């Protein structure tokens, strides 16, 4: 473990209350585990085998070990994770959205840092959200948008949320409640949504 002294207080896993008023900041920096080539190869084989068998529970547990040792950027491990992600994405593109979401959740629960499976989860949630929106289930669509936004503020989530807000505002206008409509639309104020949706919302707000 590497300890870096920076400033006026001590920070670290073993920091005590007394350290808070100390004279330096110490940050613990994670180091890569020193493993033999044989140990790494064994892990690579197990990881690859679990991916080939679509055993994502075992794959996630092994991938967690990879990330814990900071090996995810190494070419052999990266190729295995990428292949597993492509296979899971194929399941999604073939229309098995729930199965793809289950896979993404399984990996995401063990290795939240894996951007590939995080993105697969976002795509699956977006698909469910769009389906709900198309059916007029705006509360359901809003829930999926919130789930995406709780992961990352990506266009998939904020744009879906904006579409829901527009639909709900239109319903409020139709019911004669312009104040409610304006309040709904203003929920999007801090969202980085598409230019088209932003223009639509701005025009609606001006009309109220």
């Amino acid at each position: 473990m590497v300890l870096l002294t920076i400033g006026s207080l001590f920070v670290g896993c073993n920091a005590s209350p007394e350290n808070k008023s100390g004279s330096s900041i110490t940050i613990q920096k994670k180091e890569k585990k020193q493993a033999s080539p044989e140990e790494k190869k064994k892990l690579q084989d197990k990881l690859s085998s679990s991916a080939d068998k679509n055993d994502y529970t075992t794959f996630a547990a092994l991938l967690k070990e990879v990330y814990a040792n900071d090996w995810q950027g190494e070419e052999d491990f990266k190729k295995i994770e990428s292949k597993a992600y492509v296979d899971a994405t194929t399941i999604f593109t073939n229309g098995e959205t729930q199965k793809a979401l289950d896979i993404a959740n399984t990996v995401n629960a063990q290795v939240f840092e894996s951007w590939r499976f995080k993105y697969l989860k976002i795509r699956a949630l977006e698909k469910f959200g769009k389906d709900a929106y198309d059916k007029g289930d705006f509360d359901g669509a809003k829930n999926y948008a919130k789930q995406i936004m709780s992961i990352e503020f990506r266009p998939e989530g904020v744009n879906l949320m904006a579409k829901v807000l527009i639909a709900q505002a239109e319903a409020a206008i139709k019911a004669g409640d312009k104040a409610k409509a304006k309040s709904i639309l203003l929920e999007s104020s801090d969202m980085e949504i598409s230019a088209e949706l932003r223009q639509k919302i701005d025009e609606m707000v001006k009309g109220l």
Side-chain angles (χ1 to χ4, degrees), residues 15-34:
S16 64
E18 289 77 15
N19 296 134
K20 293 180 180 178
S21 59
S23 60
S24 65
I25 294 179
T26 302
I27 298 175
Q28 297 181 341
K29 182 180 179 181
K30 182 172 68 175
E31 294 180 319
K32 288 188 179 183
K33 178 181 176 182
Q34 297 301 313

Side-chain angles (χ1 to χ4, degrees), residues 43-55 62 80:
L43 180 57
Q44 288 164 9
D45 289 344
K46 290 165 67 176
L47 188 69
S48 181
S49 176
S50 63
D52 290 341
K53 295 174 183 176
N54 293 325
D55 180 0
L62 294 168
I80 297 169

Side-chain angles (χ1 to χ4, degrees), residues 32-138:
K32 288 188 179 183
K33 178 181 176 182
Q34 297 301 313
S36 68
E38 291 77 15
E39 288 177 310
K40 280 191 176 183
K41 182 64 166 61
K42 185 177 180 180
L43 180 57
Q44 288 164 9
D45 289 344
K46 290 165 67 176
L47 188 69
S48 181
S49 176
S50 63
D52 290 341
K53 295 174 183 176
N54 293 325
D55 180 0
Y56 286 97
T57 300
T58 301
F59 175 81
L62 294 168
L63 189 65
K64 181 179 181 180
E65 185 177 345
V66 173
Y67 274 74
N69 290 303
D70 198 24
W71 295 335
Q72 67 275 9
E74 296 185 11
E75 196 62 30
D76 289 333
F77 287 114
K78 190 162 60 175
K79 283 181 179 179
I80 297 169
E81 182 184 0
S82 180
K83 181 183 180 301
Y85 162 73
V86 169
D87 290 345
T89 298
T90 299
I91 290 171
F92 171 75
T93 55
N94 285 342
E96 296 183 81
T97 308
Q98 185 59 58
K99 185 176 180 180
L101 180 58
D102 291 342
I103 291 170
N105 280 332
T106 296
V107 179
N108 197 244
Q110 292 282 347
V111 193
F112 185 75
E113 306 94 321
S114 174
W115 65 263
R116 294 174 176 86
F117 287 91
K118 191 184 299 183
Y119 181 54
L120 178 60
K121 181 174 182 176
I122 288 171
R123 290 187 66 190
L125 290 171
E126 181 193 27
K127 179 65 168 63
F128 280 131
K130 285 183 173 180
D131 289 347
Y133 177 87
D134 291 341
K135 294 175 183 176
D137 178 10
F138 301 131

Side-chain angles (χ1 to χ4, degrees), residues 2-10 23-28:
V2 177
L3 298 179
L4 303 177
T5 300
I6 299 180
S8 62
L9 36 111
F10 181 89
S23 60
S24 65
I25 294 179
T26 302
I27 298 175
Q28 297 181 341

